[in-house]
Amino acid sequence: EPFVASSGDIITDYNDLYCVFLHCVASCRVASRRVASRRVNIRPYAQPTEAERETWKEVDVVLKDALGILDELQAYKGAGQEIREAIQNPSDEALQDQAWAAVVPLVGKLKTFYEFSQRLEAALHSLLRALTSETYNDPTQHLEREQALAKQFAEILHFTLRFDELKMTNPAIQNDFSYYRRTLSRMRINNVPAEGENEVNNELANRISLFYADATPMLKSLSDGTTKFVSENKNLPIENTTDVLSTMATVCKVMLETPEYRSRFSSEETFSFCLRVMVGVIILYDYVHPVGAFAKSSKIDMKGCIKVLRDQPPNSVEGLLNALRYTTKHLNDESTTKTIKSMLQ
């Protein structure tokens, strides 16, 4: 049986958080339409309906692998010492072999991360097809009635921002891959058989290199994927996509800035989840909306969202602020006010 979101329960996990999210969605819709009732039926743990089930299963397979990807990335130490010793002693073949043996399995992991980004983009497309369809006239109806899919969308954004936060603080990733490519090129010139080349050939290495060259590679992949989705679905009004994104950003901001909701967060990680989702949908909106998220006509209150971020301890949100600074499309447009630009300096 559906139940009604309570206004007083403590948020102990993401399912509780999502119940409050939906409570805010309903409140926003009620406020905008002056509807008397503020009740919204919420399915426990956002279980998929029959209509959602096929897409939900497809995306769930990807999300189940996401946690393992984050664990592997967090544990990624790199082969810095072996690489330094090999570079400092170029004539020592034993050290060259040690460095290569250390790097090859790490490159295999980096390849796995890259391939996961492609799976994540495909999952995002599936969710966007459902959440932006013409089934309902209002984006809040999609978020209320397709709760399981909307929750998965939020989980993808949380994973994406978390992945990029970890990547930005780990220079070993690009150093390891650069060493791999240089060494592979040298081996080819000298006609030396290269173990590991079969796993990552030259063409794939070029694509992986471009992926990790970006400061926020997973977010860039999703942003490009969202733009591609809009361009491939020209029969679908662009507002169907941007309204879902702006509604999610608004609801996250309300949850984060309203004491009634904020006091119910039981852990910093739950709070961070909400911050990441807010930043993620802002960036996707900025990529697909013709004038972006920072223009006066934007449906996202960017000043309010940035203020929410600024009100947090600097070390906890610097990565998210950098994502807005460096991975958005329209921040430096002339239409962006000086106030917003100064808030992100």
Side-chain angles (χ1 to χ4, degrees):
E1 288 297 312
F3 64 98
V4 177
S6 156
S7 61
D9 294 339
I10 297 298
I11 300 168
T12 58
D13 60 24
Y14 296 151
N15 291 309
D16 290 346
L17 172 66
Y18 197 66
C19 288
V20 177
F21 176 88
L22 287 166
H23 189 271
C24 290
V25 168
S27 297
C28 288
R29 181 161 64 85
V30 168
S32 67
R33 296 187 174 189
R34 294 179 172 82
V35 180
S37 172
R38 298 179 69 89
R39 292 167 67 85
V40 51
N41 284 336
I42 300 174
R43 299 188 301 277
Y45 303 104
Q47 289 299 309
T49 61
E50 196 56 43
E52 295 173 283
R53 195 171 304 282
E54 185 177 346
T55 299
W56 183 88
K57 282 183 177 178
E58 179 186 330
V59 176
D60 187 55
V61 171
V62 179
L63 284 172
K64 280 180 176 173
D65 291 338
L67 188 59
I69 293 287
L70 288 180
D71 286 343
E72 284 200 47
L73 179 57
Q74 196 153 16
Y76 190 99
K77 301 301 181 188
Q81 183 176 343
E82 291 89 342
I83 290 171
R84 279 192 299 274
E85 289 177 354
I87 291 173
Q88 290 167 3
N89 301 276
S91 59
D92 190 324
E93 288 301 322
L95 290 177
Q96 308 308 309
D97 291 344
Q98 284 175 22
W100 183 251
V103 163
V104 167
L106 293 174
V107 167
K109 286 186 179 182
L110 297 181
K111 176 193 173 192
T112 299
F113 300 161
Y114 166 72
E115 290 173 339
F116 187 77
S117 75
Q118 297 175 308
R119 292 176 60 201
L120 200 69
E121 184 180 329
L124 181 76
H125 275 216
S126 297
L127 290 174
L128 286 173
R129 271 193 296 274
L131 293 172
T132 64
S133 70
E134 306 259 57
T135 310
Y136 305 114
N137 296 324
D138 188 322
T140 58
Q141 289 182 296
H142 274 289
L143 297 177
E144 286 179 23
R145 299 184 187 184
E146 296 173 320
Q147 296 171 21
L149 301 186
K151 181 171 180 280
Q152 286 182 322
F153 188 75
E155 288 170 341
I156 282 178
L157 291 170
H158 169 255
F159 164 83
T160 298
L161 272 294
R162 183 64 184 134
F163 180 96
D164 287 343
E165 285 170 9
L166 291 170
K167 183 266 177 184
M168 278 194 285
T169 57
N170 196 338
I173 289 172
Q174 283 178 274
N175 292 340
D176 291 349
F177 202 75
S178 294
Y179 178 81
Y180 172 83
R181 296 191 74 195
R182 289 197 309 271
T183 305
L184 195 60
S185 177
R186 190 166 60 246
M187 286 176 166
R188 284 202 195 100
I189 292 171
N190 296 328
N191 291 319
V192 176
E195 179 199 347
E197 185 179 2
N198 291 335
E199 187 171 4
V200 181
N201 60 33
N202 197 47
E203 182 187 349
L204 181 57
N206 287 336
R207 295 203 302 271
I208 294 175
S209 183
L210 283 173
F211 175 75
Y212 287 112
D214 199 280
T216 53
M218 205 64 76
L219 193 53
K220 178 68 162 58
S221 177
L222 285 200
S223 299
D224 289 345
T226 307
T227 303
K228 184 180 177 184
F229 172 83
V230 170
S231 66
E232 288 179 349
N233 293 273
K234 296 187 186 299
N235 60 323
L236 199 66
I238 193 170
E239 292 79 15
N240 287 27
T241 303
T242 55
D243 284 356
V244 166
L245 297 173
S246 62
T247 300
M248 289 186 73
T250 299
V251 172
C252 286
K253 181 181 79 72
V254 169
M255 289 173 65
L256 291 162
E257 71 183 3
T258 306
E260 176 195 348
Y261 294 127
R262 183 167 175 173
S263 64
R264 293 164 57 192
F265 289 106
S266 65
S267 72
E268 283 302 313
E269 184 54 32
T270 311
F271 187 75
S272 296
F273 179 99
C274 207
L275 286 170
R276 291 185 189 113
V277 173
M278 181 183 75
V279 170
V281 289
I282 288 170
I283 292 169
L284 296 187
Y285 181 99
D286 192 57
Y287 263 79
V288 300
H289 195 282
V291 297
F294 301 96
K296 287 183 178 178
S297 59
S298 168
K299 290 187 177 181
I300 297 177
D301 173 14
M302 284 306 304
K303 288 181 185 176
C305 291
I306 296 169
K307 184 179 184 302
V308 166
L309 289 167
R310 285 288 191 192
D311 287 344
Q312 313 314 315
N315 62 328
S316 69
V317 294
E318 193 60 27
L320 297 177
L321 287 168
N322 282 338
L324 291 178
R325 289 176 186 127
Y326 306 123
T327 65
T328 46
K329 188 177 180 181
H330 294 280
L331 175 60
N332 295 316
D333 289 1
E334 289 183 9
S335 59
T336 303
T337 65
K338 290 181 179 178
T339 304
I340 288 178
K341 287 180 178 178
S342 66
M343 288 177 78
L344 283 173
Q345 282 179 354

